[in-house]
Amino acid sequence: MSEQQQAADLVIILITGPENPKRLPSAFFLASTAAAADMNVVMYFTGPATLLLKKGVAESIRPMEEGNTIKDFMELALDNGVQFVGCLQSLELNGMTKEDLAFDVPLLTPSQALPSLGQAGRVLTW
């Protein structure tokens, strides 16, 4: 997410976290579908959503009993080319450090991320 990169076609600012597991799959399906259609897609994890990046959290959440985990939905998005970006301030607010992360993602403060996120063709808050 640098100035040299092409602006994202779609940004999903994910604020929903483990507190609402049934809401989460749709965000990852939408991101995966857009990326599979050759769109440049970025998901910015902030607030409670930052917890989904923590080791052990996403794999422990199942929106449906006996169904896929949130980690499965996240990996589908990554496999389709979605870029994950974590909010550095939210990491700190959730008592986490970079060592706690299950995914190797760039960490940006909102002021660092906003210029790139704001250039997107579409921005959704989930």
Side-chain angles (χ1 to χ4, degrees):
M1 267 186 49
S2 68
E3 290 181 30
Q4 292 86 11
Q5 282 183 311
Q6 175 186 353
D9 298 307
L10 174 64
V11 167
I12 298 175
I13 300 174
L14 190 63
I15 58 173
T16 301
E19 77 284 354
N20 197 344
K22 292 187 183 223
R23 183 177 166 91
L24 291 169
S26 298
F28 295 106
F29 281 138
L30 182 61
S32 296
T33 302
D38 294 326
M39 293 177 73
N40 180 6
V41 182
V42 173
M43 293 185 82
Y44 184 66
F45 292 71
T46 189
T50 310
L51 288 167
L52 299 173
L53 301 173
K54 187 175 183 179
K55 292 174 189 167
V57 173
E59 52 264 76
S60 70
I61 302 170
R62 292 183 188 276
M64 292 178 32
E65 202 171 314
E66 305 297 322
N68 289 340
T69 67
I70 292 302
K71 185 173 183 184
D72 295 329
F73 296 114
M74 293 172 79
E75 287 176 344
L76 175 65
L78 289 169
D79 289 346
N80 278 297
V82 175
Q83 180 186 3
F84 289 175
V85 178
C87 175
L88 182 59
Q89 288 172 318
S90 291
L91 202 70
E92 295 167 0
L93 285 172
N94 285 292
M96 297 165 51
T97 66
K98 188 169 182 156
E99 290 74 36
D100 293 321
L101 298 179
F103 299 90
D104 183 23
V105 299
L107 296 170
L108 302 173
T109 65
S111 61
Q112 291 170 323
L114 192 57
S116 294
L117 298 179
Q119 293 176 9
R122 298 281 184 264
V123 178
L124 302 176
T125 303
W126 210 275

